[in-house]
Amino acid sequence: MDCLFCKIIAGEIPSTKVYEDDDMLAFRDINPVAPVHVIVIPKKHIASMDEITPENSCAVAKIFEKIPEIARLAGCENGYRVVSNCGVDGGQTVPHLHFHLLGGMELSWPVFTK
Ligand code: AMP
Ligand code: ZN
C-alpha cells in the first residue's frame, strides 16, 4: 500500500521510535511543533478518524490506554496534549490515522488560527 506511515511500520522508511508493540508504533515527528512531538499510530491501516468503526475501534482504545506511558517515555513531565487532524479542514496530511502527542512546554489554547 502506498501509505507513508505503513512504510514506517514496515521499516521501509526510518523513524525514531519511542514505543512499539503488536498494535501500535510511536515515533518522533520529523517536523516537531513542540519540544515533545510524537506520532502514535495503529499498525492496522485506518485512514482517519472518519474510518473508526466498531470492528477496528479496539486499536484506538489500546492506543489511548498506552498514551500515558508513551508520554512519560517521550519526556512529558507536566502534562501533554493529544490531537488528531481529520480531513481537509482538520489539516490532515497523512491518510493513516495518527495521534499527535505534544508536550515539553506549556501549550497555548485555543489553537484555532487561519
Ligand atoms: P497531519 O498533518 O496531522 O496529517 O500529521 C502528519 C505528521 O506527520 C506531520 O506532523 C509531519 O511532520 C509528520 N511526518 C511526515 N513524514 C514523517 C516522517 N517520515 N517521520 C516522522 N514524521 C513525519
Ligand atoms: Zn497506512
Side-chain angles (χ1 to χ4, degrees), residues 47-66:
S48 76
M49 297 266 282
D50 271 347
E51 304 299 322
I52 296 173
T53 66
E55 288 69 40
N56 65 23
S57 63
C58 98
V60 179
K62 284 178 175 169
I63 284 174
F64 276 81
E65 285 171 28
K66 197 54 82 171

Side-chain angles (χ1 to χ4, degrees), residues 4-5 8 27-31 85 91-94 98 100:
L4 177 67
F5 287 172
I8 287 179
F27 54 94
R28 303 275 176 187
D29 196 292
I30 204 168
N31 188 22
N85 300 325
Q92 184 177 10
T93 59
V94 178
H98 53 282
H100 298 259

